[in-house]
Amino acid sequence: MSHVWAPLALSCHPGPVAAVTVLVSALAVGSGPGTGRQVLVTAAVFTGQLSVGWCNDAHDAPRDAEAGRRGKPVARGASAPGTVWGAAFAALALCVVLSFACGAAAGAAHLTGVLAAWAYNLRLKETPLSWLPYAIGFASLPCVVALSLPGSPWPAWWAVAAGALLGVAAHLGDVLPDIEADLRAGVRGLPQRLGAARTRLLLPLPLCAATAVLALGPPGTPGGPVVAVLCGVAVCAVVVTTVCAGPRRGGSWRKAALAGTVAVASADVALLLTRGTGVA
């Protein structure tokens, strides 16, 4: 059975799935007590991310095969497209149940983000609005955490804004290594239209802006640690996106821009938890 399950697990984009799930779980734990609520939020986000990853690999299999992307199990024939599509829809169905178990408002907010991600996979990635599903999807994450709390409080504006900015950065960082191959395949989302050089220079802006919003948006005067994190994120963003993700980089550096985005998002979440600031 491992010959079936191992490729299926790799098809879900396990790195991004794990990163997003862990960061949202940390936000849920830091937002307030309630172990059951925290588990439900984590499970809802996990299944939602699984559905998005499987949908992406199944839908893009012909294009990935033509581009010679051997890291894609469906594209290389290790997983059947029907199996991956079935897993995607099963995860989506489970995500619906788990999301609404967090509350009606929380469920609606989370599913808005998940369905936006599906829309990206199926159509919007090829348009100038390719950034929008990422912005909606990441902005929905603090929403589901906040709205799952007793009384369903609205999320803080700065949490939603920072989520949207990190989503835009994640889109740029994820697409950056594949821009040339995407253009050959006829995919013309926003990063492809900008080109690799301009996308690489643009990427630090939403990363630094997200951190600035989280540092300056919550009540209270930012202290020394907050300023240090902001400066560290700025340096990290510039180094990772202009050096590690340069046009001649390959191999282990190929996903450096996306890894840098995840590192910045982790620093941002740690900043919130250290300050004891909830997202509601």
Side-chain angles (χ1 to χ4, degrees), residues 11 50-60 84-85 88 117-118 121-122:
S11 293
L50 285 177
S51 78
V52 171
W54 278 324
C55 168
N56 180 277
D57 255 31
H59 182 267
D60 286 356
V84 180
W85 273 122
W118 274 66
N121 289 338
L122 300 178

Side-chain angles (χ1 to χ4, degrees), residues 184-206:
R184 288 193 295 271
V187 177
R188 292 186 57 80
L190 178 63
Q192 291 88 354
R193 292 167 189 260
L194 291 173
R198 282 185 286 184
T199 298
R200 192 163 51 250
L201 293 175
L202 177 63
L203 179 51
L205 298 183

Side-chain angles (χ1 to χ4, degrees), residues 232-262:
V233 164
V235 172
C236 173
V238 172
V239 170
V240 168
T241 57
T242 61
V243 179
C244 298
R248 294 183 176 81
R249 295 290 187 173
S252 60
W253 293 109
R254 187 172 177 275
K255 288 293 185 179
L258 182 58
T261 302
V262 172

Side-chain angles (χ1 to χ4, degrees), residues 162-212:
L165 287 166
L166 286 173
V168 173
H171 175 44
L172 299 176
D174 188 32
V175 173
L176 180 57
D178 298 318
I179 285 179
E180 299 304 325
D182 286 342
L183 288 172
R184 288 193 295 271
V187 177
R188 292 186 57 80
L190 178 63
Q192 291 88 354
R193 292 167 189 260
L194 291 173
R198 282 185 286 184
T199 298
R200 192 163 51 250
L201 293 175
L202 177 63
L203 179 51
L205 298 183
L207 288 177
C208 295
T211 306

Side-chain angles (χ1 to χ4, degrees), residues 120-172:
Y120 170 85
N121 289 338
L122 300 178
R123 179 67 182 96
L124 291 180
K125 72 185 300 178
E126 302 173 6
T127 74
L129 294 177
S130 60
W131 59 273
L132 185 59
Y134 271 81
I136 293 173
F138 277 69
S140 75
L141 298 176
C143 293
V144 67
V145 172
L147 291 169
S148 69
L149 292 166
S152 299
W154 286 104
W157 69 267
W158 43 264
V160 178
L165 287 166
L166 286 173
V168 173
H171 175 44
L172 299 176

